[in-house]
Amino acid sequence: MDDHDKQLFRAAIKKEWDTNVKAGAIRVVPPSEALRIRQTMPHRIMKSRLLHVAKPIDDITQFDSSQILHHGSEEQPCKAKSRWIVRGDRD
C-alpha cells in the first residue's frame, strides 16, 4: 500500500470514529476513568477491530480523483472504507 492509500484509510478511520462518537456508540473517557473501568469492570470492555475495504465507487463523477485508491479493484475505481467491528455476542 502506498502513502496515498494509507492516508485515505487514515481518513476513513477518522470518519468511522467520528460517526460512532456522534451517534453515542463510543464514549471517550479520561485515562483515570479508563483505568478504573479496566480494574473494576473488565467484563464491560468489548473486543473490537477495524475492517478496511476498497469499496467500489458507483458514480465516479461524485469523487475527486485524489480520493480514489491507487491499489483498489482493477475493474473499477474504489474508495477507502473502514468499519469498527465489535463482538456483539459478548455484550
Side-chain angles (χ1 to χ4, degrees):
M1 183 181 310
D2 65 13
D3 288 339
H4 170 80
D5 288 3
K6 285 179 186 177
Q7 186 65 23
L8 292 179
F9 275 108
R10 283 187 197 106
I13 292 167
K14 182 178 181 339
K15 181 179 177 185
E16 178 70 0
W17 178 263
D18 291 345
T19 298
N20 282 294
V21 168
K22 185 177 179 181
I26 299 171
R27 184 172 62 96
V28 180
V29 297
S32 60
E33 186 177 349
L35 180 61
R36 182 186 59 77
I37 292 169
R38 214 174 264 288
Q39 291 173 340
T40 61
M41 298 181 281
H43 62 282
R44 296 294 313 262
I45 300 171
M46 300 172 71
K47 292 187 184 261
S48 66
R49 65 186 180 98
L50 285 167
L51 173 67
H52 307 292
V53 295
K55 184 174 180 180
I57 298 172
D58 295 325
D59 185 1
I60 193 70
T61 63
Q62 299 296 314
F63 281 84
D64 181 327
S65 62
S66 67
Q67 298 301 308
I68 297 172
L69 291 170
H70 290 164
H71 302 288
S73 169
E74 293 181 18
E75 297 152 9
Q76 92 184 84
C78 294
K79 66 178 183 175
K81 183 74 175 169
S82 293
R83 283 282 182 232
W84 182 46
I85 309 295
V86 179
R87 298 260 332 243
D89 64 323
R90 301 276 173 117
D91 64 349

